[in-house]
Amino acid sequence: METGTPGFTTYDFRSFWRPKDNLTVMAGVENFTNKDYREHFDFRSANPNAQVVRQMGINFYFGSELTY
């Protein structure tokens, strides 16, 4: 059920900052070149009559972790 796809490269940027010993703040950008691609293990597009499902483009995220 695997469908072949052309190769692709995506670029991500991740960073974190630890303002205190028990607090971490993180943020990042995934696929910051907004590359249009399709994973070959994505079985949603295994049917040749189905519409091709592409991966999402640029993605931003952030988070924090507090330990005590």
Side-chain angles (χ1 to χ4, degrees):
M1 293 180 58
E2 184 178 332
T3 305
T5 60
F8 61 88
T9 301
T10 60
Y11 296 97
D12 303 335
F13 177 77
R14 296 183 173 108
S15 184
F16 73 93
W17 174 47
R18 188 166 286 149
K20 296 184 177 189
D21 287 340
N22 65 340
L23 177 64
T24 304
V25 179
M26 64 217 66
V29 180
E30 295 178 332
N31 192 11
F32 66 80
T33 56
N34 203 20
K35 180 77 173 178
D36 183 26
Y37 66 97
R38 181 172 62 97
E39 294 279 1
H40 65 280
F41 284 122
D42 188 351
F43 295 117
R44 294 176 293 181
S45 57
N47 181 351
N49 297 323
Q51 182 179 6
V52 174
V53 178
R54 303 264 182 207
Q55 300 299 319
M56 74 171 110
I58 193 168
N59 183 36
F60 302 93
Y61 67 90
F62 64 93
S64 62
E65 179 179 79
L66 178 64
T67 57
Y68 55 93

